[in-house]
Amino acid sequence: MIKINHPKIILFLIIMFTCSPSGALTNDWPLVIIDFLRVSHMTKGNNPEVIVAIIDSGIDYTHQEFDPNMVLKEYSYDFVENNVDTRPVPQGIDSDMNGITDESVSHGTFVAGIIAAQGKSMSRGLVPEIKIIDFRGLNSDGIGDLGILDQIWQRIADMVAEGVPIKLINYSIDNGVPPSPYLDSIIANLTNAGVIIVAAAGNARTSDRNIVHYPASNPNTLAVGAVDSQMELAEFSRYGENLTLVAPGKKIYSTVIDNQYYTMSGTSFAAPFVTGALAFLWSIKPTLTREEMLSLLLNSTTHLGDPGKNELFGYGLLNVTKMLLNADIDINSTATVEFSGFSLGILAFISIVKEYYKRRKKRT
Ligand SMILES: [Ca+2]
Ligand SMILES: [Ca+2]
């Protein structure tokens, strides 16, 4: 068991209520308001050049909604239990002493469902065939250790430097500390390498603390706030000048452990809509650079609130159809995936990287 030194590091989670799977199929309002359903036929995200890293409480990748090969187990790691099986387990703990045990055991699974559910008993995830590297960094109560989180960031930076095509990182966590020069420098390196980091803006808004949390507040990360089905800012969602954009995050229906489904809320669940949408676009057009991707994302939103970028909604609400149209993609056809040529060598390359990590593990 890892000693918890930094009890402030916590997942952004609000449990609203649970409901039966049968309620799910009509509950696709998030995909409606981000204008995804018109283009969902184009790809399932099966492009080997686009890998998403998720830093969270672990993913129950045996859930029926997930492709059995979704999580790249050879790269994934459980930093809580120090083993390779990243699936979350209820630990029977209340680390934050809020009277609720294991409230975040399904947090990472829920995030993964929004990105990659097959659409069996819930709305489809944005990219059901995406490959995910799962980093379990927080325990079943949603609490983690800053040192461990830093190790995970460093592991990702190493993988990217070695050529593993991690294009996106989903980070729905509050580091609970002021900006850290150490993490800022890793984020800068990842940014230079073309990686997009999508971070939750944060919950627990109060009248005097309407600022987004770190590291969402870092200028090189996207800070995502949450709106409800009426496109109103959720009452818990943080905002402010560092907010980049908003996505659905209130009463979201997705996967939890043991083949179950819940409805939950939090900016944690707004971030993966943006991550999934970017993975969707990048799967169709992997030649787009990080800067081109961000320009397409932020110039294609559904504008909300005061004119221009504003503190409540940033650049506005994620809009997937507009993003594709602005990328000159014919949305009436099934996408012909454009490979950059790099992918031809990628499988050979991955085996080299695997070998590298095998040797590294032996050394440590
Ligand atoms: Ca484990
Ligand atoms: Ca608790």
Side-chain angles (χ1 to χ4, degrees):
M1 175 70 68
I2 304 275
K3 186 168 174 285
I4 304 299
N5 296 320
H6 300 273
K8 276 184 165 177
I9 301 169
I10 188 162
L11 293 160
F12 293 134
L13 167 72
I14 296 176
I15 300 173
M16 297 296 286
F17 51 85
T18 66
C19 65
S20 66
S22 60
L25 295 175
T26 55
N27 198 11
D28 61 358
W29 68 265
L31 300 184
V32 173
I33 70 167
I34 65 170
D35 207 353
F36 177 68
L37 297 177
R38 283 200 284 162
V39 296
S40 61
H41 63 279
M42 297 199 64
T43 183
K44 290 185 172 179
N46 59 341
N47 190 320
E49 289 184 24
V50 182
I51 293 176
V52 174
I54 297 180
I55 309 173
D56 214 285
S57 65
I59 300 169
D60 180 3
Y61 47 76
T62 58
H63 196 292
Q64 63 172 1
E65 284 293 341
F66 296 133
D67 181 309
N69 299 314
M70 174 185 78
V71 168
L72 295 173
K73 299 181 185 67
E74 62 272 34
Y75 299 120
S76 301
Y77 197 74
D78 179 347
F79 285 79
V80 176
E81 296 182 320
N82 264 318
N83 59 38
V84 294
D85 186 348
T86 56
R87 286 176 295 175
V89 284
Q91 295 166 285
I93 48 177
D94 183 18
S95 307
D96 60 352
M97 293 179 287
N98 67 348
I100 310 169
T101 300
D102 295 333
E103 67 259 35
S104 289
V105 68
S106 289
H107 192 278
T109 306
F110 204 87
V111 164
I114 292 165
I115 294 172
Q118 303 293 300
K120 289 179 179 169
S121 292
M122 61 176 278
S123 297
R124 186 192 122 165
L126 287 107
V127 276
E129 294 181 1
I130 199 76
K131 292 288 184 275
I132 289 173
I133 300 181
D134 182 19
F135 293 106
R136 183 174 180 229
L138 289 100
N139 69 20
S140 60
D141 205 46
I143 304 297
D145 180 298
L146 189 60
I148 287 175
L149 269 291
D150 283 348
Q151 278 180 44
I152 296 175
W153 283 104
Q154 187 59 57
R155 173 76 63 98
I156 295 174
D158 290 348
M159 285 182 173
V160 170
E162 293 294 330
V164 180
I166 294 170
K167 307 293 276 184
L168 290 150
I169 299 171
N170 193 90
Y171 195 77
S172 295
I173 302 171
D174 171 14
N175 274 22
V177 291
S180 136
Y182 179 79
L183 182 50
D184 281 347
S185 75
I186 294 180
I187 288 173
N189 289 341
L190 288 166
T191 299
N192 290 335
V195 178
I196 297 179
I197 299 163
V198 185
N203 302 338
R205 184 170 92 208
T206 63
S207 56
D208 59 338
R209 292 178 66 207
N210 59 347
I211 50 173
V212 309
H213 277 288
Y214 182 77
S217 58
N218 179 300
N220 287 324
T221 65
L222 299 176
V224 186
V227 295
D228 63 17
S229 60
Q230 303 305 304
M231 296 190 262
E232 302 280 354
L233 192 70
E235 72 283 359
F236 52 79
S237 178
R238 286 182 173 250
Y239 60 94
E241 60 174 343
N242 292 327
L243 184 73
T244 313
L245 78 166
V246 293
K250 187 170 175 184
K251 296 186 182 177
I252 304 297
Y253 191 81
S254 185
T255 41
V256 299
I257 63 168
D258 298 332
N259 278 328
Q260 301 296 306
Y261 302 80
Y262 275 22
T263 298
M264 299 202 284
S265 300
T267 55
S268 283
F269 312 128
F273 281 103
V274 174
T275 303
L278 292 172
F280 186 83
L281 173 57
W282 234 332
S283 295
I284 297 170
K285 233 176 170 174
T287 51
L288 291 170
T289 64
R290 177 183 187 277
E291 288 64 37
E292 289 167 336
M293 290 288 289
L294 293 184
S295 170
L296 286 165
L297 172 73
L298 301 179
N299 289 310
S300 309
T301 51
T302 301
H303 189 264
L304 298 173
D306 292 340
K309 180 175 186 278
N310 56 66
E311 293 204 343
L312 287 186
F313 303 100
Y315 286 91
L317 173 63
L318 172 67
N319 186 314
V320 185
T321 295
K322 258 198 204 176
M323 195 167 68
L324 267 61
L325 288 172
N326 284 337
D328 292 326
I329 291 167
D330 175 8
I331 63 167
N332 294 313
S333 67
T334 301
T336 305
V337 172
E338 287 178 23
F339 291 103
S340 66
F342 176 69
S343 64
L344 299 175
I346 199 73
L347 292 175
F349 190 76
I350 281 177
S351 67
I352 294 168
V353 176
K354 265 188 211 170
E355 191 56 37
Y356 168 82
Y357 277 99
K358 246 185 244 167
R359 277 188 266 127
R360 239 171 76 116
K361 267 180 207 158
K362 272 180 200 157
R363 281 208 299 272
T364 51

